[in-house]
Amino acid sequence: MTTSHSAEAPPPGHLQEHFDATISRDQRIEPRDWMPDGYRKTLVRQIAQHAHSEIIGMQPEGEWITKAPSLRRKAILFAKVQDEAGHGLYLYSAAETLGADRADLTDRLIEGRQKYSSIFNYPTMSFADVGVIGWFVDGAAICNQVPLCRSSYGPYARAMVRICKEESFHQRQGYELLMTMMRGTEAQRDMVQDAVNRWWWPSLMMFGPPDDSSPNSAQSMAWKIKRHSNDELRQRFVDMTVPQAEKLGVTLPDPELRWNAERGHHDFGTPDWDELMRVIKGGGPCNDQRMQRRRSAHEEGAWVREAATAHAAKQAARAEKGAVA
Ligand SMILES: CC(C)(COP(=O)(O)OP(=O)(O)OC[C@H]1O[C@@H](n2cnc3c(N)ncnc32)[C@H](O)[C@@H]1OP(=O)(O)O)[C@@H](O)C(=O)NCCC(=O)NCCSC(=O)Cc1ccccc1
């Protein structure tokens, strides 16, 4: 539905009705369709946070590009980190279809007014961390994002399709790296187990707070932006990962983890929710470092943005002159 009504105008009943009917028929809302202000704001919030996560998420693994143990591993890691930059860019583009401005979103991140995923505030201590990030963090991202391919907002859902394909490839490369290390020396196996121990709980926290303390979930699910609750997706991730850990030969660091035949799912322990809140508020081990790096990359890139803007202005002036002539 395309309309000329601005988002601020009070919704004439039929616009709201049409929006509700589109959602309930599982059809897509597109950029020019009328949508409630809250729907637009929620999407900008989630998509921007997601984009920022991809861009900040380049840092933990990026630190290992110059230290990768072989040319092959270096090339793979380089390509993965570049893919993450690409994901950030698709997502900023999706946010722009809602009227957001990319430069403004970046300012909000840099000024600490918008969030990015807690997971990227933990350090990468060894090369095994690169494998575990692929296995756990990309694995969690897949669980969370495959349902977003059916999100009600068209441009977000479509961006997710390609992102998920790439995340699947990333997860496999992480798992393959770990399989290789597990076939290596005792010291390499210890490195893998140590990385698993450090990343397991923060990975479970990526799915967000538990359902009873998730203020946005109910409305986002009613709008079909989110298709499943935080706890449902966390459970899906645990069920998917346990057999992979067995095959790999590592132990997941949770004494409460066991199969529950009655539920048909694994039971597992409770993540430290105070830690999640602390990290979200800026108190994680690497928050300061990640933000400082992001700020300096932004400052160092100013000349590129200025040159691109000047070039675009020249092209536009030339095109206008051509049109007049
Ligand atoms: C599930 C959730 C993250 C949160 O559900 P919601 O309904 O939105 O919120 P809810 O009410 O449950 O929470 C209350 C408040 O807490 C915030 N908060 C919650 N959890 C976190 C957290 N973990 N970290 C930080 N903040 C968190 C939340 O924003 C809200 O705050 P607000 O009200 O905004 O001030 C949702 O936004 C989503 O699915 N996003 C899309 C996926 C996405 O962004 N993925 C990113 C990873 S990409 C990746 O990994 C790829 C990759 C792999 C490898 C290497 C490099 C890259």
Side-chain angles (χ1 to χ4, degrees), residues 42 45-47 49-51 53-58 60-61 80 84 87 91 115-120 133-134 137-141 144-145 148 156 160 163 167 170 202 205-210 213-218 220 226 230 233 276-277 279-280:
T42 297
R45 177 184 66 76
Q46 176 166 328
I47 297 173
Q49 176 181 314
H50 195 167
S53 302
E54 297 280 359
I55 299 296
I56 299 261
M58 295 165 74
E61 292 162 285
K80 179 182 192 283
E84 284 152 10
H87 298 174
L91 287 161
K115 299 184 168 79
Y116 61 92
S117 180
S118 51
I119 192 72
F120 302 116
I133 289 178
V137 178
D138 285 281
N144 173 268
Q145 290 168 33
L148 292 175
Y156 189 33
M160 279 301 124
I163 292 179
E167 306 281 33
H170 294 171
M205 293 176 200
M206 279 177 73
F207 295 91
S213 353
S214 164
N216 300 300
S217 277
S220 288
K226 278 167 83 163
N230 298 355
L233 294 172
L276 174 63
M277 287 309 142
V279 176
I280 292 180

Short mmCIF file of all heavy atoms in Angstrom, two decimals, residues 42 45-47 49-51 53-58 60-61 80 84 87 91 115-120 133-134 137-141 144-145 148 156 160 163 167 170 202 205-210 213-218 220 226 230 233 276-277 279-280, ligand 1:
data_model
loop_
_atom_site.label_atom_id
_atom_site.label_comp_id
_atom_site.label_asym_id
_atom_site.label_seq_id
_atom_site.Cartn_x
_atom_site.Cartn_y
_atom_site.Cartn_z
N THR A 42 10.69 1.00 16.42
CA THR A 42 11.22 -0.30 16.88
C THR A 42 12.15 -0.89 15.83
O THR A 42 13.22 -1.42 16.15
CB THR A 42 10.05 -1.28 17.16
OG1 THR A 42 9.29 -0.73 18.22
CG2 THR A 42 10.53 -2.65 17.55
N ARG A 45 15.43 0.98 15.76
CA ARG A 45 16.21 0.60 16.95
C ARG A 45 16.88 -0.76 16.74
O ARG A 45 18.09 -0.91 16.89
CB ARG A 45 15.28 0.55 18.17
CG ARG A 45 15.93 0.09 19.45
CD ARG A 45 14.92 -0.03 20.60
NE ARG A 45 13.93 -1.06 20.41
CZ ARG A 45 14.16 -2.37 20.57
NH1 ARG A 45 15.34 -2.80 20.95
NH2 ARG A 45 13.19 -3.25 20.37
N GLN A 46 16.08 -1.75 16.33
CA GLN A 46 16.64 -3.10 16.20
C GLN A 46 17.62 -3.20 15.03
O GLN A 46 18.70 -3.80 15.17
CB GLN A 46 15.50 -4.13 16.05
CG GLN A 46 16.04 -5.53 15.82
CD GLN A 46 15.01 -6.61 15.99
OE1 GLN A 46 14.09 -6.50 16.79
NE2 GLN A 46 15.16 -7.70 15.25
N ILE A 47 17.26 -2.61 13.90
CA ILE A 47 18.14 -2.74 12.72
C ILE A 47 19.45 -1.99 12.96
O ILE A 47 20.53 -2.46 12.61
CB ILE A 47 17.42 -2.24 11.43
CG1 ILE A 47 16.19 -3.10 11.14
CG2 ILE A 47 18.37 -2.27 10.24
CD1 ILE A 47 15.31 -2.60 9.99
N GLN A 49 20.86 -1.34 15.87
CA GLN A 49 21.66 -2.11 16.84
C GLN A 49 22.33 -3.31 16.15
O GLN A 49 23.48 -3.64 16.41
CB GLN A 49 20.75 -2.60 17.98
CG GLN A 49 21.51 -3.49 18.96
CD GLN A 49 20.63 -4.01 20.10
OE1 GLN A 49 19.86 -3.25 20.69
NE2 GLN A 49 20.74 -5.27 20.40
N HIS A 50 21.58 -3.91 15.25
CA HIS A 50 22.11 -5.06 14.51
C HIS A 50 23.28 -4.63 13.61
O HIS A 50 24.33 -5.27 13.58
CB HIS A 50 20.95 -5.65 13.70
CG HIS A 50 21.19 -7.01 13.16
ND1 HIS A 50 20.20 -7.79 12.66
CD2 HIS A 50 22.33 -7.73 13.03
CE1 HIS A 50 20.71 -8.94 12.24
NE2 HIS A 50 22.00 -8.92 12.45
N ALA A 51 23.09 -3.50 12.90
CA ALA A 51 24.16 -3.00 12.02
C ALA A 51 25.41 -2.65 12.84
O ALA A 51 26.53 -3.03 12.48
CB ALA A 51 23.67 -1.76 11.26
N SER A 53 26.31 -3.87 15.58
CA SER A 53 26.93 -5.11 16.08
C SER A 53 27.84 -5.72 15.01
O SER A 53 28.92 -6.23 15.33
CB SER A 53 25.86 -6.13 16.45
OG SER A 53 24.99 -5.60 17.42
N GLU A 54 27.37 -5.68 13.78
CA GLU A 54 28.20 -6.26 12.71
C GLU A 54 29.50 -5.47 12.56
O GLU A 54 30.57 -6.04 12.37
CB GLU A 54 27.43 -6.24 11.38
CG GLU A 54 26.17 -7.09 11.36
CD GLU A 54 26.43 -8.58 11.14
OE1 GLU A 54 27.60 -8.98 10.98
OE2 GLU A 54 25.45 -9.35 11.16
N ILE A 55 29.41 -4.16 12.66
CA ILE A 55 30.61 -3.32 12.44
C ILE A 55 31.56 -3.45 13.64
O ILE A 55 32.77 -3.68 13.47
CB ILE A 55 30.20 -1.85 12.20
CG1 ILE A 55 29.32 -1.72 10.94
CG2 ILE A 55 31.43 -0.94 12.10
CD1 ILE A 55 29.98 -2.10 9.63
N ILE A 56 31.04 -3.33 14.85
CA ILE A 56 31.91 -3.51 16.03
C ILE A 56 32.40 -4.96 16.09
O ILE A 56 33.52 -5.24 16.52
CB ILE A 56 31.15 -3.15 17.34
CG1 ILE A 56 30.70 -1.70 17.32
CG2 ILE A 56 31.99 -3.49 18.57
CD1 ILE A 56 31.53 -0.70 18.06
N GLY A 57 31.55 -5.88 15.61
CA GLY A 57 31.89 -7.31 15.62
C GLY A 57 33.09 -7.65 14.75
O GLY A 57 33.62 -8.77 14.82
N MET A 58 33.53 -6.72 13.92
CA MET A 58 34.74 -6.97 13.12
C MET A 58 35.99 -6.94 14.00
O MET A 58 37.03 -7.49 13.63
CB MET A 58 34.88 -5.90 12.03
CG MET A 58 33.78 -5.92 10.99
SD MET A 58 33.76 -4.40 10.02
CE MET A 58 35.20 -4.66 8.99
N PRO A 60 36.88 -8.05 17.35
CA PRO A 60 37.51 -9.15 18.10
C PRO A 60 38.27 -10.13 17.21
O PRO A 60 39.41 -10.50 17.51
CB PRO A 60 36.32 -9.84 18.78
CG PRO A 60 35.20 -8.85 18.77
CD PRO A 60 35.44 -7.93 17.62
N GLU A 61 37.68 -10.52 16.09
CA GLU A 61 38.38 -11.44 15.19
C GLU A 61 39.43 -10.71 14.37
O GLU A 61 40.48 -11.27 14.05
CB GLU A 61 37.40 -12.10 14.24
CG GLU A 61 36.45 -13.05 14.89
CD GLU A 61 35.28 -13.31 13.96
OE1 GLU A 61 34.41 -12.43 13.82
OE2 GLU A 61 35.25 -14.38 13.36
N LYS A 80 35.98 -13.27 6.06
CA LYS A 80 34.87 -13.30 7.03
C LYS A 80 34.64 -11.90 7.60
O LYS A 80 33.51 -11.41 7.67
CB LYS A 80 35.17 -14.30 8.16
CG LYS A 80 34.04 -14.34 9.19
CD LYS A 80 34.36 -15.29 10.33
CE LYS A 80 33.15 -15.58 11.21
NZ LYS A 80 32.81 -14.51 12.14
N GLU A 84 31.39 -9.25 7.36
CA GLU A 84 30.69 -8.57 8.48
C GLU A 84 30.49 -7.09 8.15
O GLU A 84 29.43 -6.52 8.44
CB GLU A 84 31.47 -8.76 9.78
CG GLU A 84 31.28 -10.18 10.33
CD GLU A 84 32.43 -10.71 11.16
OE1 GLU A 84 33.34 -9.92 11.50
OE2 GLU A 84 32.44 -11.92 11.45
N HIS A 87 27.58 -6.92 5.90
CA HIS A 87 26.30 -7.08 6.61
C HIS A 87 25.89 -5.76 7.26
O HIS A 87 24.72 -5.37 7.21
CB HIS A 87 26.41 -8.15 7.71
CG HIS A 87 26.73 -9.51 7.18
ND1 HIS A 87 26.99 -10.59 7.98
CD2 HIS A 87 26.82 -9.98 5.91
CE1 HIS A 87 27.23 -11.65 7.24
NE2 HIS A 87 27.15 -11.31 5.98
N LEU A 91 22.47 -3.55 6.40
CA LEU A 91 21.53 -3.22 7.49
C LEU A 91 21.34 -1.71 7.61
O LEU A 91 20.23 -1.24 7.83
CB LEU A 91 22.02 -3.84 8.80
CG LEU A 91 21.83 -5.37 8.85
CD1 LEU A 91 22.70 -6.01 9.91
CD2 LEU A 91 20.36 -5.71 9.10
N LYS A 115 22.84 0.94 21.12
CA LYS A 115 23.55 -0.23 21.62
C LYS A 115 24.15 -1.07 20.48
O LYS A 115 23.79 -0.89 19.32
CB LYS A 115 22.57 -1.10 22.40
CG LYS A 115 21.95 -0.44 23.61
CD LYS A 115 21.07 -1.45 24.35
CE LYS A 115 20.66 -0.94 25.72
NZ LYS A 115 19.56 0.04 25.67
N TYR A 116 25.01 -1.98 20.86
CA TYR A 116 25.46 -3.06 19.96
C TYR A 116 25.56 -4.30 20.83
O TYR A 116 25.55 -4.21 22.06
CB TYR A 116 26.79 -2.71 19.28
CG TYR A 116 27.94 -2.50 20.24
CD1 TYR A 116 28.78 -3.56 20.58
CD2 TYR A 116 28.19 -1.26 20.82
CE1 TYR A 116 29.83 -3.38 21.47
CE2 TYR A 116 29.22 -1.07 21.72
CZ TYR A 116 30.04 -2.13 22.04
OH TYR A 116 31.07 -1.95 22.93
N SER A 117 25.68 -5.47 20.18
CA SER A 117 25.57 -6.72 20.93
C SER A 117 26.65 -6.85 22.00
O SER A 117 27.84 -6.61 21.75
CB SER A 117 25.64 -7.91 19.98
OG SER A 117 25.52 -9.10 20.72
N SER A 118 26.21 -7.30 23.18
CA SER A 118 27.09 -7.52 24.32
C SER A 118 28.27 -8.44 23.98
O SER A 118 29.36 -8.29 24.53
CB SER A 118 26.27 -8.16 25.45
OG SER A 118 25.57 -9.29 24.96
N ILE A 119 28.05 -9.38 23.08
CA ILE A 119 29.06 -10.43 22.83
C ILE A 119 30.41 -9.87 22.37
O ILE A 119 31.45 -10.47 22.61
CB ILE A 119 28.51 -11.46 21.80
CG1 ILE A 119 29.40 -12.72 21.73
CG2 ILE A 119 28.38 -10.86 20.41
CD1 ILE A 119 29.30 -13.61 22.91
N PHE A 120 30.38 -8.70 21.74
CA PHE A 120 31.63 -8.19 21.16
C PHE A 120 32.47 -7.40 22.16
O PHE A 120 33.45 -6.76 21.80
CB PHE A 120 31.34 -7.40 19.89
CG PHE A 120 30.60 -8.26 18.89
CD1 PHE A 120 29.31 -7.96 18.48
CD2 PHE A 120 31.20 -9.42 18.40
CE1 PHE A 120 28.62 -8.79 17.60
CE2 PHE A 120 30.53 -10.26 17.52
CZ PHE A 120 29.22 -9.94 17.12
N ILE A 133 34.21 -18.26 18.01
CA ILE A 133 33.29 -17.18 17.58
C ILE A 133 32.49 -17.66 16.38
O ILE A 133 31.27 -17.51 16.31
CB ILE A 133 34.07 -15.87 17.28
CG1 ILE A 133 34.57 -15.26 18.59
CG2 ILE A 133 33.17 -14.86 16.55
CD1 ILE A 133 35.39 -13.98 18.41
N GLY A 134 33.16 -18.29 15.41
CA GLY A 134 32.43 -18.82 14.25
C GLY A 134 31.37 -19.82 14.69
O GLY A 134 30.21 -19.75 14.28
N VAL A 137 29.13 -17.82 18.07
CA VAL A 137 28.54 -16.49 17.85
C VAL A 137 27.79 -16.47 16.51
O VAL A 137 26.65 -16.00 16.43
CB VAL A 137 29.60 -15.38 17.95
CG1 VAL A 137 29.00 -14.01 17.67
CG2 VAL A 137 30.28 -15.41 19.32
N ASP A 138 28.42 -17.03 15.47
CA ASP A 138 27.69 -17.11 14.20
C ASP A 138 26.55 -18.11 14.31
O ASP A 138 25.49 -17.91 13.72
CB ASP A 138 28.64 -17.45 13.04
CG ASP A 138 29.48 -16.25 12.66
OD1 ASP A 138 28.97 -15.36 11.96
OD2 ASP A 138 30.64 -16.16 13.11
N GLY A 139 26.75 -19.18 15.11
CA GLY A 139 25.67 -20.16 15.34
C GLY A 139 24.47 -19.48 16.00
O GLY A 139 23.32 -19.67 15.59
N ALA A 140 24.75 -18.68 17.03
CA ALA A 140 23.66 -17.96 17.72
C ALA A 140 23.02 -16.96 16.77
O ALA A 140 21.79 -16.79 16.73
CB ALA A 140 24.21 -17.25 18.96
N ALA A 141 23.86 -16.29 15.97
CA ALA A 141 23.33 -15.31 15.02
C ALA A 141 22.38 -16.00 14.02
O ALA A 141 21.32 -15.47 13.70
CB ALA A 141 24.48 -14.61 14.29
N ASN A 144 19.05 -16.79 15.65
CA ASN A 144 18.29 -15.55 15.85
C ASN A 144 17.79 -14.97 14.52
O ASN A 144 16.70 -14.40 14.43
CB ASN A 144 19.22 -14.57 16.59
CG ASN A 144 18.64 -13.19 16.72
OD1 ASN A 144 18.89 -12.35 15.86
ND2 ASN A 144 17.86 -12.96 17.75
N GLN A 145 18.62 -15.12 13.47
CA GLN A 145 18.35 -14.36 12.25
C GLN A 145 17.60 -15.13 11.17
O GLN A 145 16.97 -14.51 10.32
CB GLN A 145 19.66 -13.78 11.70
CG GLN A 145 20.19 -12.68 12.60
CD GLN A 145 21.61 -12.26 12.29
OE1 GLN A 145 22.04 -12.29 11.14
NE2 GLN A 145 22.35 -11.88 13.30
N LEU A 148 14.25 -14.09 11.22
CA LEU A 148 14.09 -12.69 10.78
C LEU A 148 13.96 -12.58 9.26
O LEU A 148 13.54 -11.55 8.75
CB LEU A 148 15.26 -11.83 11.28
CG LEU A 148 15.35 -11.61 12.80
CD1 LEU A 148 16.61 -10.84 13.16
CD2 LEU A 148 14.13 -10.87 13.32
N TYR A 156 14.20 -5.42 5.66
CA TYR A 156 14.97 -6.11 6.72
C TYR A 156 14.99 -7.61 6.42
O TYR A 156 16.05 -8.25 6.45
CB TYR A 156 14.32 -5.82 8.07
CG TYR A 156 15.10 -6.27 9.30
CD1 TYR A 156 16.50 -6.28 9.33
CD2 TYR A 156 14.44 -6.68 10.45
CE1 TYR A 156 17.20 -6.67 10.47
CE2 TYR A 156 15.13 -7.07 11.60
CZ TYR A 156 16.51 -7.07 11.59
OH TYR A 156 17.20 -7.46 12.73
N MET A 160 18.25 -10.09 5.43
CA MET A 160 18.59 -11.25 6.27
C MET A 160 18.91 -12.50 5.46
O MET A 160 19.66 -13.36 5.90
CB MET A 160 17.42 -11.57 7.20
CG MET A 160 17.35 -10.72 8.41
SD MET A 160 18.86 -10.89 9.34
CE MET A 160 19.30 -9.20 9.41
N ILE A 163 22.52 -12.41 4.43
CA ILE A 163 23.33 -12.41 5.65
C ILE A 163 23.36 -13.82 6.25
O ILE A 163 24.41 -14.33 6.63
CB ILE A 163 22.81 -11.35 6.66
CG1 ILE A 163 23.07 -9.94 6.10
CG2 ILE A 163 23.43 -11.53 8.03
CD1 ILE A 163 22.58 -8.79 6.97
N GLU A 167 26.43 -16.19 7.16
CA GLU A 167 26.67 -16.61 8.56
C GLU A 167 26.82 -18.14 8.64
O GLU A 167 27.59 -18.65 9.45
CB GLU A 167 25.52 -16.20 9.50
CG GLU A 167 25.12 -14.74 9.51
CD GLU A 167 26.01 -13.81 10.31
OE1 GLU A 167 27.22 -14.08 10.38
OE2 GLU A 167 25.48 -12.82 10.84
N HIS A 170 30.20 -18.93 7.72
CA HIS A 170 31.10 -18.53 8.81
C HIS A 170 31.10 -19.55 9.94
O HIS A 170 32.12 -19.86 10.53
CB HIS A 170 30.66 -17.17 9.39
CG HIS A 170 30.81 -16.02 8.42
ND1 HIS A 170 30.31 -14.77 8.69
CD2 HIS A 170 31.40 -15.95 7.22
CE1 HIS A 170 30.59 -13.98 7.66
NE2 HIS A 170 31.23 -14.68 6.76
N PRO A 202 28.54 -16.00 27.57
CA PRO A 202 28.26 -14.76 26.81
C PRO A 202 27.46 -15.03 25.53
O PRO A 202 26.62 -14.22 25.13
CB PRO A 202 29.65 -14.21 26.50
CG PRO A 202 30.51 -14.72 27.61
CD PRO A 202 29.98 -16.10 27.91
N MET A 205 23.90 -15.21 26.28
CA MET A 205 23.36 -13.88 26.59
C MET A 205 23.03 -13.07 25.33
O MET A 205 22.29 -12.10 25.39
CB MET A 205 24.35 -13.09 27.45
CG MET A 205 24.54 -13.67 28.83
SD MET A 205 25.82 -12.74 29.70
CE MET A 205 26.28 -13.93 30.96
N MET A 206 23.61 -13.46 24.20
CA MET A 206 23.34 -12.72 22.95
C MET A 206 21.85 -12.65 22.65
O MET A 206 21.38 -11.73 21.97
CB MET A 206 23.98 -13.44 21.75
CG MET A 206 25.44 -13.18 21.56
SD MET A 206 26.03 -14.16 20.17
CE MET A 206 25.35 -13.31 18.76
N PHE A 207 21.09 -13.66 23.10
CA PHE A 207 19.66 -13.72 22.77
C PHE A 207 18.83 -12.71 23.56
O PHE A 207 17.62 -12.62 23.35
CB PHE A 207 19.13 -15.14 22.99
CG PHE A 207 19.76 -16.14 22.04
CD1 PHE A 207 20.91 -16.83 22.37
CD2 PHE A 207 19.23 -16.33 20.77
CE1 PHE A 207 21.51 -17.71 21.49
CE2 PHE A 207 19.82 -17.20 19.87
CZ PHE A 207 20.97 -17.90 20.23
N GLY A 208 19.50 -12.00 24.47
CA GLY A 208 18.79 -10.97 25.22
C GLY A 208 18.31 -11.48 26.56
O GLY A 208 18.48 -12.65 26.90
N PRO A 209 17.68 -10.59 27.36
CA PRO A 209 17.21 -10.98 28.70
C PRO A 209 16.13 -12.05 28.61
O PRO A 209 15.54 -12.25 27.54
CB PRO A 209 16.64 -9.66 29.25
CG PRO A 209 16.38 -8.81 28.07
CD PRO A 209 17.35 -9.21 27.01
N PRO A 210 15.86 -12.74 29.73
CA PRO A 210 14.79 -13.75 29.71
C PRO A 210 13.45 -13.11 29.37
O PRO A 210 13.26 -11.90 29.57
CB PRO A 210 14.80 -14.32 31.13
CG PRO A 210 15.60 -13.39 31.96
CD PRO A 210 16.49 -12.60 31.06
N SER A 213 11.71 -10.53 31.45
CA SER A 213 12.30 -9.18 31.60
C SER A 213 12.71 -8.59 30.27
O SER A 213 13.67 -7.84 30.18
CB SER A 213 13.52 -9.19 32.53
OG SER A 213 13.73 -10.38 33.15
N SER A 214 11.98 -8.95 29.22
CA SER A 214 12.27 -8.41 27.88
C SER A 214 11.16 -7.43 27.50
O SER A 214 10.11 -7.84 27.00
CB SER A 214 12.35 -9.58 26.88
OG SER A 214 12.25 -9.12 25.56
N PRO A 215 11.39 -6.14 27.73
CA PRO A 215 10.29 -5.18 27.56
C PRO A 215 9.77 -5.06 26.13
O PRO A 215 8.61 -4.70 25.93
CB PRO A 215 10.91 -3.85 28.03
CG PRO A 215 12.38 -4.05 27.99
CD PRO A 215 12.63 -5.51 28.19
N ASN A 216 10.62 -5.37 25.13
CA ASN A 216 10.19 -5.13 23.74
C ASN A 216 9.54 -6.33 23.06
O ASN A 216 8.93 -6.19 22.01
CB ASN A 216 11.41 -4.71 22.89
CG ASN A 216 12.05 -3.44 23.42
OD1 ASN A 216 11.41 -2.40 23.48
ND2 ASN A 216 13.31 -3.52 23.82
N SER A 217 9.73 -7.52 23.65
CA SER A 217 9.35 -8.75 22.91
C SER A 217 7.88 -8.81 22.53
O SER A 217 7.57 -9.12 21.37
CB SER A 217 9.72 -9.99 23.73
OG SER A 217 11.07 -10.28 23.52
N ALA A 218 6.98 -8.55 23.48
CA ALA A 218 5.55 -8.79 23.21
C ALA A 218 5.10 -7.97 22.00
O ALA A 218 4.51 -8.50 21.05
CB ALA A 218 4.72 -8.45 24.43
N SER A 220 7.01 -6.50 19.66
CA SER A 220 7.75 -6.88 18.44
C SER A 220 7.20 -8.17 17.86
O SER A 220 7.19 -8.35 16.63
CB SER A 220 9.24 -7.04 18.73
OG SER A 220 9.81 -5.79 18.94
N LYS A 226 9.84 -9.67 15.37
CA LYS A 226 10.45 -10.88 15.94
C LYS A 226 9.45 -12.01 15.79
O LYS A 226 8.26 -11.81 15.99
CB LYS A 226 10.72 -10.65 17.44
CG LYS A 226 12.00 -9.90 17.73
CD LYS A 226 12.08 -9.44 19.17
CE LYS A 226 12.58 -10.50 20.12
NZ LYS A 226 13.03 -9.88 21.42
N ASN A 230 13.04 -14.47 23.07
CA ASN A 230 14.46 -14.63 23.38
C ASN A 230 14.75 -16.03 23.94
O ASN A 230 15.72 -16.69 23.55
CB ASN A 230 14.91 -13.58 24.40
CG ASN A 230 14.75 -12.15 23.88
OD1 ASN A 230 14.39 -11.94 22.73
ND2 ASN A 230 15.00 -11.16 24.73
N LEU A 233 14.58 -18.92 21.34
CA LEU A 233 15.75 -18.99 20.46
C LEU A 233 16.99 -19.49 21.21
O LEU A 233 17.80 -20.23 20.66
CB LEU A 233 16.01 -17.62 19.81
CG LEU A 233 14.90 -17.18 18.84
CD1 LEU A 233 15.12 -15.74 18.41
CD2 LEU A 233 14.84 -18.08 17.62
N LEU A 276 25.10 -9.61 32.02
CA LEU A 276 24.59 -9.08 30.75
C LEU A 276 24.27 -7.59 30.89
O LEU A 276 24.67 -6.77 30.05
CB LEU A 276 23.35 -9.86 30.28
CG LEU A 276 22.66 -9.27 29.03
CD1 LEU A 276 23.57 -9.33 27.80
CD2 LEU A 276 21.34 -9.99 28.73
N MET A 277 23.57 -7.23 31.95
CA MET A 277 23.19 -5.82 32.13
C MET A 277 24.42 -4.93 32.27
O MET A 277 24.49 -3.84 31.72
CB MET A 277 22.27 -5.65 33.35
CG MET A 277 20.89 -6.19 33.11
SD MET A 277 20.21 -5.53 31.55
CE MET A 277 19.33 -6.92 30.89
N VAL A 279 27.40 -5.48 31.02
CA VAL A 279 28.09 -5.36 29.72
C VAL A 279 27.30 -4.42 28.80
O VAL A 279 27.88 -3.56 28.13
CB VAL A 279 28.30 -6.75 29.07
CG1 VAL A 279 28.92 -6.61 27.69
CG2 VAL A 279 29.16 -7.63 29.95
N ILE A 280 25.97 -4.55 28.81
CA ILE A 280 25.14 -3.67 27.96
C ILE A 280 25.35 -2.21 28.37
O ILE A 280 25.39 -1.31 27.52
CB ILE A 280 23.64 -4.05 28.05
CG1 ILE A 280 23.38 -5.41 27.41
CG2 ILE A 280 22.77 -2.99 27.38
CD1 ILE A 280 21.92 -5.88 27.46
C1 LIG B 1 17.08 -10.40 20.52
C2 LIG B 1 17.49 -8.93 20.40
C3 LIG B 1 19.00 -8.81 20.37
C4 LIG B 1 16.95 -8.16 21.62
O1 LIG B 1 15.53 -8.19 21.64
P1 LIG B 1 14.69 -6.82 21.76
O2 LIG B 1 13.26 -7.21 21.67
O3 LIG B 1 15.19 -5.85 20.79
O4 LIG B 1 15.03 -6.28 23.22
P2 LIG B 1 14.64 -6.86 24.67
O5 LIG B 1 13.40 -6.21 25.14
O6 LIG B 1 14.68 -8.35 24.68
O7 LIG B 1 15.90 -6.33 25.51
C5 LIG B 1 15.89 -5.13 26.34
C6 LIG B 1 17.02 -4.20 25.99
O8 LIG B 1 18.27 -4.87 26.02
C7 LIG B 1 18.92 -4.74 24.78
N1 LIG B 1 19.59 -6.00 24.50
C8 LIG B 1 19.03 -7.22 24.53
N2 LIG B 1 19.97 -8.15 24.30
C9 LIG B 1 21.14 -7.50 24.12
C10 LIG B 1 22.45 -7.93 23.86
N3 LIG B 1 22.78 -9.21 23.75
N4 LIG B 1 23.41 -6.98 23.75
C11 LIG B 1 23.12 -5.67 23.84
N5 LIG B 1 21.88 -5.21 24.10
C12 LIG B 1 20.89 -6.13 24.23
C13 LIG B 1 17.83 -4.44 23.79
O9 LIG B 1 18.34 -3.76 22.66
C14 LIG B 1 16.90 -3.59 24.61
O10 LIG B 1 17.42 -2.28 24.74
P3 LIG B 1 16.67 -0.95 24.10
O11 LIG B 1 15.21 -1.11 24.41
O12 LIG B 1 16.95 -1.02 22.63
O13 LIG B 1 17.34 0.20 24.75
C15 LIG B 1 16.82 -8.33 19.12
O14 LIG B 1 17.05 -6.94 19.07
C16 LIG B 1 17.30 -8.93 17.83
O15 LIG B 1 16.89 -10.04 17.47
N6 LIG B 1 18.15 -8.20 17.07
C17 LIG B 1 18.62 -8.61 15.78
C18 LIG B 1 19.86 -9.46 15.85
C19 LIG B 1 21.07 -8.71 16.34
O16 LIG B 1 21.07 -7.52 16.63
N7 LIG B 1 22.21 -9.43 16.42
C20 LIG B 1 23.44 -8.84 16.86
C21 LIG B 1 24.53 -9.81 16.69
S1 LIG B 1 25.05 -9.86 14.99
C22 LIG B 1 26.18 -11.11 14.89
O17 LIG B 1 26.36 -11.70 15.88
C23 LIG B 1 26.87 -11.39 13.59
C24 LIG B 1 28.30 -11.54 13.82
C25 LIG B 1 28.82 -12.76 14.20
C26 LIG B 1 30.20 -12.92 14.41
C27 LIG B 1 31.06 -11.84 14.25
C28 LIG B 1 30.54 -10.60 13.86
C29 LIG B 1 29.16 -10.46 13.62
#
